[in-house]
Amino acid sequence: MSSAETYVVGSAFDVEQGLQQLIARGYQFVHPTNGAGEVQAVVGVRVHDNVVDVVRLNAEDDVEATRLPGSEQNIFAPASTLWRSRGEASQVLGEVLALPERPPAPAATANGCWVPGRGGRSKWLAAR
């Protein structure tokens, strides 16, 4: 079992230690405030391997985490996500720490197709 898996499985998850682990992995945290200067959330962001990981802690029982494509325009209202979780801090932070460091490679896209040719042979027809 990896150290990340112990965060998910262990019953005594330490949220502060989980946040320190995220910082050690390169997350940068900001603390947006309202007009009165009160902290509204704690938001961590990490950009790596053409993805963006975002963790938003609104309260200890209201945490959302997402992994987005690096091309996503708005990380707070994404059009697409690669992974998402929402729930209590201990659960969601454990899941974030258990994510693979490198996302799976995208499937190769074909730029053409095979078509039947003469004599039972196929021929690659490139797309333009």
Side-chain angles (χ1 to χ4, degrees):
M1 182 180 316
S2 73
S3 61
E5 289 172 319
T6 60
Y7 287 116
V8 177
V9 178
S11 60
F13 182 89
D14 183 347
V15 173
E16 184 176 338
Q17 186 179 15
L19 290 170
Q20 290 173 352
Q21 288 286 326
L22 293 179
I23 291 168
R25 290 187 181 190
Y27 280 79
Q28 300 286 315
F29 284 86
V30 294
H31 308 89
T33 58
N34 64 12
E38 298 171 334
V39 173
Q40 298 298 295
V42 175
V43 181
V45 178
R46 178 175 77 147
V47 179
H48 65 103
D49 298 311
N50 202 28
V51 296
V52 179
D53 292 333
V54 180
V55 177
R56 180 182 175 104
L57 296 97
N58 299 310
E60 197 161 344
D61 62 348
D62 183 12
V63 177
E64 183 172 3
T66 53
R67 177 168 277 180
L68 314 165
S71 60
E72 189 59 51
Q73 295 295 314
N74 185 344
I75 63 172
F76 297 112
S80 65
T81 61
L82 302 172
W83 173 86
R84 178 174 279 188
S85 181
R86 186 172 197 143
E88 294 190 17
S90 58
Q91 169 212 332
V92 175
L93 293 180
E95 291 174 5
V96 170
L97 290 167
L99 282 173
E101 279 298 302
R102 295 186 181 268
T109 56
N111 289 322
C113 62
W114 289 98
V115 295
R118 294 185 183 192
R121 294 181 176 239
S122 295
K123 179 178 180 181
W124 178 256
L125 181 61
R128 292 184 183 200

